Amino acid sequence: MRMTRVALVAPEDTLDAVLAEVGLAGVVELEPVDHGAGDPDAVGIARMKAAALRRHGAAAYLGWCPEPARGPLADRLAPLGGALAALRPPPGAEPPTLLARAGRVGRSFAPIVETYGAVPYADVDPTLLAGMAYVVMFGMMFGDAGHGLVLVLVAVVLARRPPSRYPRLRDAWPFVAGAGLAATVFGVLYGEFFGPTGLLPALWLQPLAEPVRLLVAAVGLGGAFLAAAYVVGIVNRWREGSAGLALYAPSGIAGAAVFAGLCLLAAGVFAASIPLVAVAVAVAAAGLAIAAAGLYAAAAEGAAVAQTVVQLFDLVVRICANLVSFARLAAFGLTHAALGALVWAGTAGLWQRGGTWTVAAVTVFVLGNAVTFGLEAVVAGVQALRLEYYELFSRVFEGTGRPFRPWRCDPAPKEVLR
């Protein structure tokens, strides 16, 4: 959301009423009050009054306000003698970030980004893209139609009757539903329904029967995610600085060219195509040359060459390592399939004995799937988050921003009248 640098000015004799109105609105981040790590709501009117800049019978504050909220608040302050004027921000000042996330899906995916850090003010909000990537990666590792449908059922419960102690969990139901649907889709592709029960035919592959094919698909999917992350990173570098930053940054065009060259090189070697290998080498070399120019310009004097060489080597190694890291999508998908197969083999073996062993078979099936569900849900959830933060967000963000922390205060009657 667009932020505006503002000055809040009020006469001393109506300052209490003006501050009460601003505190109730809760749309202005005021300075010079330092909230530190505390809650802005803990700053009362008395402390806010003491922090005012005073001159000639007037009190003033500097701050930030979302542009859509400035006009309506200024109209409310005018009858009290107060004003909320727009200012030109000082050079180099970074406004705080307030993300305009509309809808339940945006709010549900928001914790993925917020846990990592605040999005810089100039950057693109990656919440929706990050959420979609997360559920796809989770589904590939948690591929079982039965387990996925259980997650969808959990999402329905959260939407209709969230736990009374944790009402905010209701906002999480689209996230849980998305993860469950992705797991269900991959389960159908794998032919897994509470394990290899045979109730579903494999529309794509059986993980334990074709692990290499699954591994190649996982790395290919990771390459697509990295390419998307580079696109967002280029846009962010452009918005953060200039066309030069977008060109030279390792997370910009230069890094994207190296990544594209390495991917083309792998494809050329696999296809035994000399022309494709030649193109790949040219693209990668161009990317390295552009990156080297940017790294050399930013390096410390006296060791610029050595620093540039080391950083270029790190760039290539990091790209290869990040791409290979997506093999974990296949590895944990295989783990899930192996656990499901183990539970089903035990269930089938006991069931064939008949008699009282039938009860034992049902017990093994239920408890085994419960353990597999709980264990693999945690593992897949953590691993998908790790891929988001280390492989993808490292290209999307160069740093983190500062969240918008408006001052809110519900004044007591004596505070307004004082």
Side-chain angles (χ1 to χ4, degrees):
M1 187 171 291
R2 183 179 178 183
M3 285 288 168
T4 301
R5 184 69 168 174
V6 295
L8 173 64
V9 183
E12 285 279 6
D13 56 353
T14 62
L15 181 57
D16 285 320
V18 169
L19 287 177
E21 196 69 34
V22 173
L24 285 172
V27 295
V28 183
E29 182 181 278
L30 292 176
E31 303 169 5
V33 174
D34 182 13
H35 302 139
D39 185 354
D41 296 358
V43 180
I45 289 181
R47 182 178 169 189
M48 190 61 71
K49 285 181 61 178
L53 305 173
R54 289 179 166 81
R55 182 174 295 179
H56 305 302
Y61 305 84
L62 292 173
W64 297 94
C65 179
E67 178 57 31
R70 185 182 65 84
L73 181 57
D75 293 340
R76 290 162 58 183
L77 298 180
L80 303 174
L84 190 66
L87 302 176
R88 179 177 297 178
E94 182 179 7
T97 301
L98 176 62
L99 299 177
R101 295 184 174 119
R104 291 182 176 179
V105 174
R107 293 195 302 271
S108 181
F109 288 160
I112 296 177
V113 178
E114 292 173 350
T115 303
Y116 183 83
V119 178
Y121 181 74
D123 285 9
V124 175
D125 179 13
T127 300
L128 184 58
L129 294 175
M132 293 171 61
Y134 185 96
V135 298
V136 170
M137 292 188 292
F138 179 91
M140 192 170 191
M141 291 183 283
F142 198 69
D144 187 292
H147 294 169
L149 291 176
V150 171
L151 278 179
V152 173
L153 179 60
V154 171
V156 172
V157 173
L158 289 177
R160 292 181 174 272
R161 293 185 178 181
S164 57
R165 290 188 178 183
Y166 307 100
R168 294 186 62 182
L169 284 178
R170 183 169 188 173
D171 290 338
W173 77 260
F175 178 81
V176 178
L181 288 174
T184 302
V185 170
F186 276 98
V188 172
L189 295 176
Y190 296 160
E192 297 275 331
F193 187 85
F194 294 110
T197 55
L199 296 177
L200 293 176
L203 298 184
W204 177 35
L205 58 80
Q206 293 178 330
L208 296 179
E210 300 180 84
V212 176
R213 189 179 172 192
L214 182 62
L215 178 63
V216 172
V219 175
L221 180 63
F225 283 148
L226 287 174
Y230 271 115
V231 172
V232 178
I234 291 170
V235 174
N236 285 344
R237 300 301 87 75
W238 187 295
R239 292 165 61 118
E240 291 167 0
S242 62
L245 182 60
L247 176 63
Y248 294 110
S251 59
I253 295 175
V258 176
F259 171 73
L262 292 175
C263 290
L264 289 174
L265 180 61
V269 171
F270 179 79
S273 173
I274 295 178
L276 186 56
V277 170
V279 171
V281 171
V283 172
L288 287 172
I290 297 172
L295 293 172
Y296 183 84
E301 296 182 4
V305 175
Q307 184 175 340
T308 300
V309 171
V310 170
Q311 289 178 318
L312 285 178
F313 180 76
D314 176 72
L315 173 63
V316 175
V317 171
R318 190 151 47 88
I319 288 176
C320 296
N322 291 160
L323 183 59
V324 173
S325 184
F326 281 92
R328 70 187 65 229
L329 296 178
F332 289 104
L334 288 169
T335 302
H336 194 162
L339 289 174
L342 179 63
V343 172
W344 179 243
T347 301
L350 292 172
W351 185 271
Q352 290 175 356
R353 294 189 176 188
T356 57
W357 292 103
T358 303
V359 177
V362 173
T363 302
V364 168
F365 182 79
V366 173
L367 293 182
N369 273 282
V371 171
T372 300
F373 179 91
L375 178 63
E376 288 299 304
V378 172
V379 170
V382 171
Q383 292 301 323
L385 196 63
R386 184 225 176 270
L387 289 170
E388 288 268 19
Y389 289 171
Y390 289 96
E391 274 65 41
L392 302 182
F393 282 6
S394 61
R395 287 159 176 79
V396 172
F397 300 124
E398 284 288 330
T400 56
R402 181 172 65 86
F404 177 61
R405 305 180 68 201
W407 176 60
R408 296 184 177 90
C409 183
D410 188 3
K414 63 178 182 180
E415 289 186 295
V416 178
L417 297 175
R418 186 166 50 221

